[in-house]
Amino acid sequence: MAPIFFRYLTLSGYFGLFALMMLWPTVLAAAPQLPVALVLIVTVAPLLLLVRGLLAFNPKSYAWAGFISLLYFAHGAVEIYANAGARWLAGSEILFSLLLFFGSALTLRSRGKAR
């Protein structure tokens, strides 16, 4: 497959995860016991650190995206088990984090083979 496909796979996982993390605590299933601003800072800040490097096709950013996506995968796995009301949100988080992980890994792999 073409390396551009893997890059688009990474970006679709990234932007899907970003949108989900923005919408989950604000619109879709707000938690009344936690401040929304705190939840957004904790969940969205790691993703904001990656945006410039992913769009610029920086290999280090793609490597970090793979590492950071594992945190979102773990959070989704815990939520799908513990929170029955938000299982579809947790499933979406798992899906987007896996897209981000495998897309970034395959992008780096195909880029390394091209050299």
Side-chain angles (χ1 to χ4, degrees):
M1 292 189 148
I4 194 73
F5 172 76
F6 299 134
R7 183 173 184 215
Y8 287 139
L9 187 70
T10 304
L11 291 176
S12 64
Y14 173 80
F15 285 114
L17 194 59
F18 183 80
L20 180 67
M21 290 295 107
M22 289 293 289
L23 293 175
W24 190 343
T26 56
V27 177
L28 300 174
Q33 65 269 23
L34 293 173
V36 175
L38 177 67
V39 174
L40 286 176
I41 288 171
V42 170
T43 59
V44 177
L47 292 173
L48 286 175
L49 296 173
L50 299 172
V51 67
R52 185 174 179 189
L54 289 178
L55 293 176
F57 205 47
N58 185 354
K60 287 184 181 179
S61 294
Y62 277 79
W64 275 105
F67 299 140
I68 290 174
S69 69
L70 296 176
L71 296 172
Y72 291 98
F73 177 81
H75 176 260
V78 169
E79 283 291 323
I80 209 165
Y81 177 74
N83 192 354
R87 286 209 170 124
W88 68 278
L89 292 168
S92 299
E93 184 178 11
I94 289 171
L95 174 73
F96 288 133
S97 66
L98 287 176
L99 281 174
L100 181 59
F101 177 77
F102 286 115
S104 63
L106 292 171
T107 300
L108 290 173
R109 183 177 180 199
S110 65
R111 185 177 170 135
K113 284 186 177 180
R115 287 186 177 185

